[in-house]
Amino acid sequence: MPGTPLFYVLFWGVFLITLGIFAYRLRQLWQYMLLGQKETGSKSLIRQTLDTLNYVISQLCQLKNFRRKDWAPLGHALMVWGFFISIIFYFFFIILTEGFGLIALEETQFYFYAVWVMDFFAVFIFIGAAWAIIRRYIIRPERLKGEQTIEAMIILLSVLVHPITHIFEIATKIALGHPPAGLGHTLLPPVSAWVSNLFTAGAGTESWYLGFLWAHWVTVVIVLVIIPYTRYLHIIASIFNGILRNRPRTVLKPIDLEQAETLGTATIDQLTWKQNLDLYSCVVCGNCQELCPAYESGKKLNPKKVIQDLKKHLLKVGPELVAAKASGEAAPDNPNVPLAENVILLDEIWACTTCGACDEVCPVWVDHIDKIVDLRRNLVMEQASMPETAEGALRSIEDRGHPWRGTTLSRTDWAEGLDIKVLADDQDVDILFWVGCTEALEERSTKVAQSVAKLLKAAGINFGILGTEESCCGEPARRLGNEYLFQMQAEKNIEILKNYGVKRIVTACPHGYNILKNEYPQFGGNFEVIHHTELIAQLIKEDKLKLNKGLNEIVTYHDACYLGRYNNIYQPPRQIIKAVPGLDMVEMERNKRRAFCCGGGGGHMWLEEQEGNRINEMRTEQALETGVQTVITACPLCLQMFEDGIKAKAAEEQLKVMDIAELLAAQIEE
Ligand code: SF4
Ligand code: SF4
């Protein structure tokens, strides 16, 4: 009975044993995490702490994925909000008052109102947990396939039992006439008061009260014990993962090629400690799997599985590696096997288009792409192991300064007759048009470069190009894992740009845009970089581009991953389409941050898709479903992928693809 010496001994005893187990496991996890390498780059800790707390408390981390078809984020939010309130309640009343008898709050009005609040939040938790159980074990959505594990059931049951034991504990107290009853209020907490009708005052109810009190305490204790052993760990790890996350998350970190002992990641201890923290944070929700184009198209890659496989491997070899680190002697039988092929299959490593959908929807800030690219880096630079087609593209960049093997065009063929300034001849320009390899050298895309030039001229922009001095920005090389080649290209380009005193750059390629804007600063290349959709939208707004023709058509727009998810450019292209007289737009079902990749990123423009369906054909089908006749893009790789997809589907009569610059160029008077 509370208040007796035996009760306190039991309560304290159970609590201390629990804390001991909890601390022991956390220490182990800490040691495994620190097997990782040092992190580079700076973080804005105060801003990220406030941002993370805001996201966790408001549950925006979950609610950002809320859709009419998926109520799971709301269920999670209900449970979390309920638990925040429960923790405060437990601290004052279960631990300090009932459990340890340190303060006496039960007879106060504070207790009465706290029980009222808890009455509602207990219902929130119950609904959230019940919904999660029904979803996982009865509805079984695709992303939870194979996740009907005992571990998940124990976790969900522990969440479900919590509010039930709380309500019954309070109900028995009410039946016995204890607080919250007897504090001078007629309106008691409704749920507990309603349940109290099941009990009558007497010795039997005293026993029930004691039973519920202990049951409630035991569920608290069970949860504490299993937190560090199960995916519950995300409760702790994800908060630190949010605070310590890399920003912007899609920017790849450079390798110090002169100092690095290993290039990329070969073994688990070559992940950084922050990458290990990512593994602890994963809650196995499957959001990343659901949006991954590689997984959806039937490839072996599943971003959730990649994270889980790395975590399992770390926990498996962790004890031996920690012991080896402490003794300074190598672990027997070397458990530190290469990750590629032993833990993550080569097919998984090469199937990633780096589309960023997984990183975008992950509620706990897990980064996937950095790990996949680090594995590629090791394969490419240390083992010369890569798909043959990737090798061809990389060799072409090395030999010819672009990845388009077999092209017969030169860098400036597209500009013939357009009277465009080349910086080598005339440096008096306000902005440099970075054309990019695809728009300069791939036949279909040259029309995009010509359209951009036409629009810039029509708006009276004083621009120029590098012409034959422009070389590959290095983006395909970096995403394919050849950091050497990327750094070589970046340094060469930065030097040329600086020599010409370039300050502003416009490009129609989101891949070039992303790398020039976000990754060239790592090597001292700081330029103002804008995408052609941003510049055109601005020119229309300022009335410098007059769209005086008009078009009576409905189109759809495909969000390029490196423009949308990577750089948050969603509105400018839509504003441009809206500005064309008579033109209307319908969205594809997967749009903006949930848009489906075209299949061309991460070097895949130059890789053969060996397994499953073709991603570009799947995206073409999604565009066809809208029933429109034109799909607009703002990326030369997407343009090319759609062209191929339309041909493969024999849908040339139903659908055509255009870059937004081509659409606009046709709308202005010569
Ligand atoms: S970046 Fe895209 S393709 Fe790669 S794992 Fe993530 S969702 Fe899948
Ligand atoms: S990595 Fe993130 S999105 Fe993927 S399963 Fe884990 S928590 Fe969910």
Side-chain angles (χ1 to χ4, degrees):
M1 196 53 153
T4 62
L6 178 64
F7 179 87
Y8 288 137
V9 168
L10 279 175
F11 204 89
W12 274 99
V14 171
F15 192 57
L16 287 177
I17 291 170
T18 306
L19 280 188
I21 299 172
F22 182 78
Y24 173 76
R25 180 59 173 172
L26 274 194
R27 183 172 169 270
Q28 274 186 331
L29 293 172
W30 177 258
Q31 288 174 327
Y32 304 160
M33 188 178 86
L34 293 188
L35 286 169
Q37 306 293 308
K38 271 203 300 212
E39 268 283 302
T40 53
S42 57
K43 299 174 201 293
S44 160
L45 285 184
I46 295 177
R47 192 171 56 80
Q48 292 191 186
T49 303
L50 295 175
D51 192 47
T52 303
L53 292 179
N54 173 27
Y55 256 60
V56 173
I57 293 169
S58 68
Q59 278 295 286
L60 271 177
C61 51
Q62 284 287 339
L63 293 173
K64 69 178 182 179
N65 294 327
F66 179 79
R67 285 165 301 139
R68 261 190 301 159
K69 285 185 189 161
D70 187 2
W71 288 64
L74 185 62
H76 187 275
L78 287 179
M79 288 192 276
V80 172
W81 289 328
F83 266 99
F84 286 148
I85 298 296
S86 302
I87 287 167
I88 300 170
F89 189 86
Y90 294 158
F91 180 71
F92 281 111
F93 302 112
I94 307 261
I95 297 187
L96 297 186
T97 305
E98 244 166 2
F100 298 149
L102 299 177
I103 51 173
L105 288 172
E106 280 206 348
E107 304 288 336
T108 63
Q109 296 301 320
F110 174 41
Y111 180 69
F112 179 80
Y113 293 116
V115 175
W116 250 95
V117 173
M118 265 304 289
D119 226 47
F120 284 104
F121 281 94
V123 174
F124 279 9
I125 301 173
F126 180 81
I127 294 173
W131 171 238
I133 291 173
I134 292 169
R135 237 179 113 257
R136 183 174 293 257
Y137 291 91
I138 298 173
I139 301 175
R140 297 180 181 226
E142 171 69 24
R143 73 178 157 100
L144 294 180
K145 228 165 100 187
E147 291 300 334
Q148 288 68 33
T149 56
I150 293 180
E151 178 193 310
M153 186 48 112
I154 291 173
I155 289 173
L156 289 172
L157 282 180
S158 69
V159 181
L160 187 79
V161 168
H162 251 267
I164 298 176
T165 51
H166 167 80
I167 292 287
F168 274 80
E169 188 201 332
I170 301 296
T172 48
K173 286 173 87 176
I174 292 173
L176 291 166
H178 299 323
L183 292 175
H185 297 271
T186 45
L187 209 57
L188 292 172
V191 184
S192 308
W194 180 69
V195 176
S196 74
N197 292 322
L198 297 173
F199 303 95
T200 47
T205 301
E206 285 283 359
S207 307
W208 277 115
Y209 159 62
L210 216 53
F212 289 127
L213 172 70
W214 273 107
H216 196 52
W217 181 232
V218 166
T219 52
V220 172
V221 160
I222 288 175
V223 168
L224 265 179
V225 169
I226 63 177
I227 280 176
Y229 285 94
T230 62
R231 65 191 71 179
Y232 249 150
L233 180 61
H234 81 277
I235 297 173
I236 303 170
S238 68
I239 294 181
F240 291 102
N241 208 35
I243 294 170
L244 299 166
R245 67 191 183 273
N246 295 312
R247 274 289 173 257
R249 66 195 304 181
T250 42
V251 167
L252 293 178
K253 292 195 172 165
I255 299 180
D256 184 341
L257 295 169
E258 278 166 19
Q259 303 291 326
E261 284 171 21
T262 326
L263 302 174
T265 299
T267 51
I268 194 80
D269 56 345
Q270 287 165 3
L271 291 176
T272 68
W273 62 262
K274 167 63 183 63
Q275 288 176 322
N276 289 338
L277 184 59
D278 271 353
L279 310 184
Y280 292 166
S281 302
C282 175
V283 61
V284 209
C285 67
N287 276 324
C288 53
Q289 165 190 315
E290 188 184 29
L291 286 200
C292 174
Y295 178 78
E296 219 177 317
S297 61
K299 319 265 186 299
K300 289 197 183 76
L301 173 62
N302 175 347
K304 175 184 81 178
K305 191 171 162 295
V306 167
I307 298 300
Q308 284 303 306
D309 287 347
L310 288 171
K311 180 182 173 187
K312 275 185 216 149
H313 183 63
L314 176 66
L315 296 183
K316 185 174 148 206
V317 301
E320 282 184 75
L321 295 184
V322 167
K325 192 176 164 188
S327 67
E329 284 171 25
D333 299 334
N334 191 14
N336 204 12
V337 293
L339 296 173
E341 226 29 21
N342 293 305
V343 180
I344 313 289
L345 298 175
L346 291 179
D347 283 347
E348 294 177 87
I349 296 170
W350 291 109
C352 177
T353 66
T354 67
C355 74
C358 48
D359 287 5
E360 175 76 33
V361 289
C362 180
V364 291
W365 300 279
V366 171
D367 292 332
H368 305 74
I369 299 172
D370 63 340
K371 295 169 194 65
I372 290 173
V373 172
D374 278 344
L375 287 164
R376 287 185 183 178
R377 283 171 165 176
N378 191 268
L379 287 170
V380 171
M381 291 189 290
E382 293 217 336
Q383 302 174 46
S385 161
M386 69 201 97
E388 212 179 298
T389 38
E391 203 176 338
L394 293 172
R395 199 168 316 119
S396 181
I397 296 175
E398 221 169 308
D399 298 343
R400 292 178 280 271
H402 64 77
W404 288 102
R405 286 185 298 164
T407 178
T408 53
L409 297 175
S410 82
R411 281 266 170 198
T412 49
D413 282 355
W414 69 272
E416 226 152 81
L418 294 181
D419 189 24
I420 295 172
K421 284 184 187 176
V422 178
L423 262 57
D425 306 327
D426 184 351
Q427 290 150 41
D428 176 26
V429 297
D430 297 329
I431 192 163
L432 171 82
F433 174 27
W434 181 276
V435 185
C437 302
T438 306
E439 279 169 24
L441 299 159
E442 191 280 314
E443 187 93 37
R444 168 67 183 89
S445 300
T446 55
K447 295 188 178 59
V448 181
Q450 288 161 351
S451 301
V452 174
K454 182 179 169 186
L455 291 169
L456 295 179
K457 277 177 170 265
I461 305 283
N462 177 19
F463 73 98
I465 58 172
L466 284 177
T468 50
E469 281 188 277
E470 188 182 301
S471 184
C472 177
C473 62
E475 198 265 355
R478 191 168 227 201
R479 263 65 195 173
L480 285 170
N482 194 333
E483 182 73 6
Y484 269 127
L485 184 53
F486 160 68
Q487 290 194 15
M488 233 167 64
Q489 290 296 120
E491 278 159 15
K492 187 166 72 182
N493 289 329
I494 290 168
E495 198 186 323
I496 293 171
L497 291 167
K498 281 187 173 169
N499 281 345
Y500 284 125
V502 171
K503 299 270 183 299
R504 291 186 85 208
I505 300 173
V506 61
T507 178
C509 175
H511 297 264
Y513 170 83
N514 182 62
I515 209 146
L516 289 166
K517 181 181 168 123
N518 299 320
E519 300 187 8
Y520 271 26
Q522 294 167 353
F523 306 93
N526 294 295
F527 311 102
E528 184 195 342
V529 187
I530 43 179
H531 187 251
H532 74 320
T533 53
E534 294 178 294
L535 183 60
I536 294 169
Q538 191 191 331
L539 293 172
I540 293 174
K541 206 166 145 199
E542 291 168 356
D543 219 16
K544 290 184 180 156
L545 262 184
K546 298 205 189 312
L547 311 177
N548 38 21
K549 285 192 177 166
L551 193 66
N552 195 14
E553 202 189 326
I554 303 176
V555 297
T556 190
Y557 173 71
H558 163 78
D559 287 281
C561 305
Y562 276 70
L563 201 58
R565 276 190 289 269
Y566 274 65
N567 287 291
N568 210 21
I569 298 178
Y570 295 114
Q571 289 316 317
R574 288 174 170 79
Q575 286 160 359
I576 296 170
I577 292 171
K578 240 187 183 167
V580 178
L583 192 64
D584 218 338
M585 191 189 117
V586 287
E587 293 282 4
M588 281 187 258
E589 194 188 331
R590 295 269 300 265
N591 61 67
K592 297 181 189 151
R593 54 186 293 270
R594 297 180 72 84
F596 193 79
C597 174
C598 73
H604 273 242
M605 190 76 232
W606 299 277
L607 295 186
E608 258 316 306
E609 261 181 91
Q610 308 282 6
E611 265 184 298
N613 298 319
R614 289 187 172 265
I615 295 173
N616 64 331
E617 290 177 24
M618 291 174 71
R619 188 54 167 165
T620 304
E621 279 166 20
Q622 292 167 16
L624 283 165
E625 276 164 21
T626 62
V628 303
Q629 286 165 357
T630 310
V631 54
I632 306 293
T633 72
C635 168
L637 301 191
C638 299
L639 184 81
Q640 190 59 47
M641 291 313 253
F642 268 105
E643 287 287 3
D644 293 348
I646 291 168
K647 267 188 216 121
K649 295 262 129 202
E652 290 95 334
E653 298 293 311
Q654 292 129 278
L655 189 70
K656 67 174 186 298
V657 57
M658 288 177 97
D659 187 276
I660 202 158
E662 295 179 286
L663 176 87
L664 262 270
Q667 299 310 308
I668 54 170
E669 295 289 0
E670 291 295 330

